[in-house]
Amino acid sequence: MKKKRNVILLITIVIALTISGYMYKCYQMYETYQNQTSIVTLMEETMHKENFVPFDALPDSLVKATIAIEDRRYYIHGGVDFIGVLRAIVSQVDDDFLKSGGSTITQQTAKNLYHMYESSLLTKGCQMWMAWELEKNYTKEEIFAVYVNIINYGDNNQGIYEAATNYFNVLPYQLSMEQSTILAGIPNLPGYYQLSDHYQNAKQRQYNVLVCMEDCGYITKDEIETIWNGSIY
């Protein structure tokens, strides 16, 4: 029994040291990025750009649709959702789970601010440190607004202003529920879901968005088909 406890203790120590070493390396990468240009500087520059759409000018439908499909625990976690990370791992081996990358909206904001599109364990960990820095300095609403203003909505539409005006010829606050829910699904794979040449893919993704919204209690089960069959134009 004592030998078994010693083995367990040794394994625990090895795991702890491995995680500590990994997080330290990630922090070093984070510091390198911060020394070049701080994430606060990038946030401020983004929020002062022409056509930046603040949170209070975003339709509630877009906010709820985006949170439901991308990060349903957004208002609960502190930048990193460890439950979401576990769900992402499970989703890779269980087809009953909707495929997920595990990154929060906050982490994705950091990723896009620094154009960190190459995915690796180190960059994922680095984005965790960046996410914690964002959550320390900004409100959830400010982070969310920056996120939808910088992500790719396909067809060369960078940010929600371009997506709303170019796809539907409306301003972001005028987006309908149908338009919001189809847009919310595009950033996951913009080239695969963009409306110009992958409309059917986008419609299937929109259905996933609606199911997630129903799971979150944002819409009813009966509303899913009504919205999905509604016109976006």
Side-chain angles (χ1 to χ4, degrees), residues 100-130:
S100 168
S103 293
T104 65
I105 284 174
T106 313
Q107 288 170 266
Q108 292 179 56
T109 301
K111 168 186 173 179
N112 282 275
L113 283 171
Y114 282 105
H115 307 291
M116 300 171 67
Y117 302 128
E118 183 179 341
S119 182
S120 70
L121 285 176
L122 275 180
T123 56
K124 288 284 187 182
C126 176
Q127 288 159 20
M128 287 185 184
W129 288 105
M130 291 175 174

Side-chain angles (χ1 to χ4, degrees), residues 51-67:
N51 294 327
F52 178 83
V53 185
F55 185 84
D56 58 9
L58 295 170
D60 188 57
S61 56
L62 180 74
V63 175
K64 289 179 176 177
T66 303
I67 288 175

Side-chain angles (χ1 to χ4, degrees), residues 42-220:
L42 293 176
M43 285 285 287
E44 295 301 319
E45 288 176 352
T46 301
M47 289 189 287
H48 287 89
K49 284 184 177 179
E50 185 181 5
N51 294 327
F52 178 83
V53 185
F55 185 84
D56 58 9
L58 295 170
D60 188 57
S61 56
L62 180 74
V63 175
K64 289 179 176 177
T66 303
I67 288 175
I69 192 65
E70 291 291 342
D71 185 4
R72 64 180 62 189
R73 290 169 52 83
Y74 179 63
Y75 283 106
I76 300 174
H77 63 66
V80 178
D81 183 9
F82 291 103
I83 293 177
V85 172
L86 180 60
R87 185 185 301 115
I89 294 172
V90 174
S91 76
Q92 303 307 310
V93 297
D94 189 336
D95 291 336
D96 291 334
F97 278 74
L98 187 65
K99 297 302 179 187
S100 168
S103 293
T104 65
I105 284 174
T106 313
Q107 288 170 266
Q108 292 179 56
T109 301
K111 168 186 173 179
N112 282 275
L113 283 171
Y114 282 105
H115 307 291
M116 300 171 67
Y117 302 128
E118 183 179 341
S119 182
S120 70
L121 285 176
L122 275 180
T123 56
K124 288 284 187 182
C126 176
Q127 288 159 20
M128 287 185 184
W129 288 105
M130 291 175 174
W132 289 323
E133 183 71 14
L134 283 176
E135 296 272 346
K136 184 174 70 175
N137 289 283
Y138 297 95
T139 66
K140 291 286 187 179
E141 290 75 17
E142 289 171 327
I143 295 170
F144 185 90
V146 168
Y147 171 72
V148 297
N149 275 272
I150 62 177
I151 54 176
N152 184 355
Y153 283 98
D155 289 311
N156 296 315
N157 293 309
Q158 207 69 30
I160 192 59
Y161 181 85
E162 290 185 5
T165 55
N166 291 335
Y167 277 137
F168 309 119
N169 197 31
V170 299
L171 293 174
Y173 77 89
Q174 298 173 309
L175 288 167
S176 66
M177 174 66 83
E178 289 81 4
Q179 292 167 340
S180 291
T181 52
I182 203 164
L183 285 180
I186 295 176
N188 178 254
L189 286 172
Y192 185 73
Y193 294 123
Q194 61 187 17
L195 301 184
S196 64
D197 54 355
H198 290 84
Y199 179 76
Q200 291 306 318
N201 294 343
K203 286 297 291 182
Q204 183 55 56
R205 178 69 172 171
Q206 180 192 28
Y207 195 86
N208 292 339
V209 171
L210 293 169
V211 169
C212 288
M213 290 182 74
E214 192 265 329
D215 287 343
C216 292
Y218 295 146
I219 60 174
T220 66

Side-chain angles (χ1 to χ4, degrees), residues 13-27 129:
I13 292 173
V14 170
I15 292 173
L17 289 173
T18 300
I19 293 174
S20 297
Y22 165 70
M23 290 306 293
Y24 178 68
K25 285 185 177 181
C26 294
Y27 183 75
W129 288 105

